[in-house]
Amino acid sequence: MGKRFKTELISSRFGRRLFLLFFGCALVPIGLLAAVTYFNVTNQLTQQAYRALQVSAKNSGMFVFMNLMDLEAGLDHVISEHGAPGQQPVLTSSGMSRLVRLGWDEKPPVSENQATHWPVLSEAQREDLRRNMTVVITGGQTQGLTRIYMVRMAPDGRSILMGELDQAGIGKKSGMDFKPASSEFHVLTRTGEFLYSTQPQDLPDIDSLGQDGQSQAQFRWWAGDEEHLVSQWELFLGSHFSSESWVISTSRPVSDVLSPVQGFNTWFILVSLLSISGISLISLMQIRRTMKPLAVLGNGTRNVSAGKFDMALEVHSNDELEDLAGSFNEMSRQLGRQFEIMTSVGEIGRAALSSLEKEKIVEILTTRMGNVLACGTVTLCLMSESESHAFLVTAKKDSLGVDDLGRFLLSAEHIKGFNDHPDHLIHKTGSDWSRFISLATDRLESPELVLPMFLKSQLAGVMSLSYPQLSVLGDGPFQERLKTIEIPLARQMADQFVV
């Protein structure tokens, strides 16, 4: 049964449309809601992370500036306490990796390693030294980081102290590492050269930082195989140092930022699979409930087209399809009845035309009419030549023969009524005609449908149909059938008999 229904569902265009409708109407809203929710949540988490990184970048910048101030103070202490020009001071906690004291016009010593050469001061930098400013210079690289040099002039104006900063010292203060919580900390030049990083072994490959002319920006970069959110803040050094501004960047892996929604992704996939399974099952059940009555109705139409009007449809869906099946059954019964009537009328006509004996024709007419009409008894009155007497014959419904009741005299009132109403008359129980038929046929009175029969404008006979099952003829539910079926068919048969 399940396999057959599955085959019917696949082969039925209506079934496929219903399945897609159920499936689409259920999953599309869920998918859209999930997508919108996921987008909004990730966007909110990203914006929160950017705001936190921006605050962290500012705090980190102030920390770097304070470290530079401490390093400057350390140089002043060295100048005042140690050595003379050309000598290498011995320092322990100045944050410098190496120091050299030079005369004002003295050139820095040349190192064998070109990467460790001391920088040569420009005239502008010397002028800044004369104004008692500390010169900060960047250049050369070691282990992927650009070297930083700090130069300070002695109070006597005849010597300068030049030191190379230990990059690790930029992120330390009083022997403690400074690292923003849940993020990485970087110091760069405006051209993108790294001066310090909490991850010096995995520096990102960047071309530029943010947008030109902005003191702060937010963007993304790749460090290794992982994408990071980055917020940068420009650290302005020109207020105290002779140096270009530095860029303080704090970054955080995107996977770390979006970790709260990773569980959502897992649950969403699980819920989606369960939803698809549940929706598919419910859809198939509902489609089966709809398709089964439709299949029954389809079989019913094929039965009707084959002339099988007596096969009622069994549909118990408690909805409009059940009402439709009931209407179809009623229509099928009506069509069967109409087909039976047409067949019987045709048989009566053929039988009447094939017989030349009037008695035989009367017998065929009275016995067959009970199969076509809902009457109980058919009484046929054939007028004699005097037009005042009639021979009465009667036949009960489902009877195989007729009873010859003999010769009766019709009243002038009856004959006048027939002439005045040539199409049909309806006589209630208790009327003169009803009593006349009751006495003639020796049965109880009942409503009578009377159809006068004329031949060349002369009354040739009367056909009287009794309906003992009804108290009043023409009222109630039977009235429509009387107008649409009983009277037209009886009239047709009466006219056919006269011809």
Side-chain angles (χ1 to χ4, degrees):
M1 179 67 181
K3 183 177 181 181
R4 186 182 69 178
F5 172 71
K6 183 178 179 181
T7 304
E8 292 177 353
L9 175 61
I10 295 175
S11 60
S12 172
R13 289 175 294 177
F14 183 67
R16 291 196 298 269
R17 286 198 295 266
L18 279 180
F19 183 77
L20 291 176
L21 180 63
F22 274 96
F23 206 76
C25 290
L27 287 187
V28 169
I30 293 176
L32 289 177
L33 179 61
V36 171
T37 302
Y38 182 79
F39 175 79
N40 287 335
V41 170
T42 54
N43 185 61
Q44 289 295 327
L45 290 174
T46 302
Q47 294 303 319
Q48 290 177 6
Y50 272 133
R51 287 193 291 270
L53 290 173
Q54 186 65 35
V55 174
S56 178
K58 293 181 180 179
N59 293 335
S60 301
M62 297 306 299
F63 179 83
V64 169
F65 191 83
M66 292 174 61
N67 270 358
L68 291 177
M69 295 287 291
D70 288 343
L71 292 172
E72 181 188 46
L75 287 181
D76 288 341
H77 178 73
V78 170
I79 292 173
S80 62
E81 298 291 337
H82 297 279
Q87 295 182 346
Q88 179 69 35
V90 179
L91 301 176
T92 57
S93 60
S94 64
M96 299 288 180
S97 61
R98 56 180 180 148
L99 286 170
V100 62
R101 188 167 184 176
L102 305 172
W104 181 256
D105 296 326
E106 184 181 357
K107 294 182 179 180
V110 178
S111 174
E112 295 181 359
N113 187 357
Q114 187 176 359
T116 61
H117 285 180
W118 292 99
V120 178
L121 298 176
S122 64
E123 289 299 326
Q125 291 170 338
R126 289 180 177 274
E127 186 65 27
D128 290 336
L129 287 174
R130 293 189 185 95
R131 291 201 299 266
N132 200 30
M133 294 183 68
T134 300
V135 177
V136 178
I137 306 171
T138 59
Q141 287 194 347
T142 176
Q143 297 181 351
L145 298 178
T146 300
R147 297 174 182 272
I148 307 173
Y149 302 92
M150 181 176 287
V151 184
R152 185 72 173 157
M153 187 178 70
D156 57 9
R158 294 180 299 174
S159 64
I160 59 175
L161 184 62
M162 182 179 296
E164 180 182 349
L165 277 65
D166 181 5
Q167 270 100 335
I170 296 180
K172 293 182 180 180
K173 187 180 176 98
S174 300
M176 298 179 61
D177 289 334
F178 175 79
K179 180 181 178 181
S182 302
S183 61
E184 301 298 334
F185 164 43
H186 316 275
V187 181
L188 305 92
T189 64
R190 298 199 66 177
T191 58
E193 298 175 350
F194 279 86
L195 304 177
Y196 172 80
S197 175
T198 53
Q199 281 187 321
Q201 73 281 359
D202 194 14
L203 295 176
D205 184 14
I206 59 175
D207 296 328
S208 61
L209 297 175
Q211 298 181 9
D212 295 338
Q214 290 190 351
S215 62
Q216 57 188 24
Q218 297 172 344
F219 55 97
R220 300 189 182 203
W221 67 29
W222 287 86
D225 296 331
E226 194 169 19
E227 187 179 19
H228 289 247
L229 299 181
V230 182
S231 181
Q232 71 177 32
W233 182 71
E234 184 177 359
L235 176 60
F236 180 67
L237 300 176
S239 61
H240 188 80
F241 299 96
S242 174
S243 173
E244 293 183 351
S245 298
W246 288 356
V247 176
I248 309 300
S249 295
T250 51
S251 64
R252 186 178 178 186
V254 175
S255 59
D256 187 24
V257 174
L258 301 182
S259 60
V261 297
Q262 296 302 318
F264 169 80
N265 292 338
T266 303
W267 278 104
F268 173 71
I269 295 174
L270 179 60
V271 171
S272 297
L273 293 176
L274 292 176
S275 299
I276 292 173
S277 302
I279 291 169
S280 300
L281 180 60
I282 295 174
S283 300
L284 292 175
M285 292 174 59
Q286 292 297 322
I287 293 172
R288 180 177 182 179
R289 185 177 179 182
T290 303
M291 292 296 295
K292 186 176 180 180
L294 291 179
V296 173
L297 288 170
N299 292 333
T301 57
R302 287 188 287 271
N303 290 333
V304 169
S305 64
K308 300 176 182 179
F309 302 102
D310 56 344
M311 300 184 68
L313 305 182
E314 295 292 337
V315 176
H316 305 286
S317 57
N318 296 323
D319 55 15
E320 288 76 6
L321 290 176
E322 183 176 351
D323 298 337
L324 179 60
S327 301
F328 185 89
N329 288 334
E330 180 63 26
M331 179 194 70
S332 180
R333 285 193 293 269
Q334 293 290 342
L335 289 175
R337 182 65 177 168
Q338 291 289 344
F339 189 78
E340 181 182 358
I341 289 173
M342 293 174 62
T343 302
S344 299
V345 170
E347 290 178 355
I348 291 173
R350 289 192 297 271
L353 293 174
S354 63
S355 177
L356 300 177
E357 298 178 7
K358 181 179 292 187
E359 291 77 6
K360 186 64 176 178
I361 296 175
V362 170
E363 180 180 355
I364 293 173
L365 179 62
T366 53
T367 54
R368 297 285 181 88
M369 286 188 67
N371 298 329
V372 178
L373 303 176
C375 60
T377 304
V378 180
T379 303
L380 189 61
C381 303
L382 301 179
M383 302 299 298
S384 65
E385 295 179 358
S386 62
E387 295 188 357
S388 58
H389 292 80
F391 297 96
L392 269 64
V393 293
T394 183
K396 295 183 180 180
K397 189 172 184 179
D398 300 328
S399 174
L400 298 178
V402 298
D403 296 327
D404 189 352
L405 303 179
R407 187 183 182 91
F408 289 85
L409 179 64
L410 299 181
S411 65
E413 183 179 353
H414 289 156
I415 295 175
K416 182 178 183 303
F418 299 148
N419 289 317
D420 292 340
H421 301 85
D423 186 67
H424 70 275
L425 298 93
I426 295 178
H427 287 276
K428 299 179 180 180
T429 302
S431 65
D432 292 342
W433 180 259
S434 178
R435 285 195 297 270
F436 169 75
I437 294 297
S438 175
L439 292 173
T441 58
D442 192 18
R443 57 179 173 75
L444 297 176
E445 293 186 42
S446 61
E448 299 284 336
L449 172 61
V450 182
L451 298 104
M453 298 182 294
F454 294 88
L455 181 61
K456 297 180 180 180
S457 302
Q458 297 295 323
L459 183 64
V462 177
M463 183 183 296
S464 184
L465 310 178
S466 62
Y467 294 85
Q469 74 274 23
L470 301 175
S471 58
V472 179
L473 188 62
D475 293 338
F478 191 73
Q479 182 178 8
E480 185 66 24
R481 176 180 173 84
L482 181 68
K483 292 181 179 180
T484 58
I485 299 178
E486 299 289 321
I487 293 177
L489 285 177
R491 182 72 265 171
Q492 180 181 355
M493 292 180 184
D495 295 338
Q496 191 176 36
F497 172 75
V498 173
V499 174

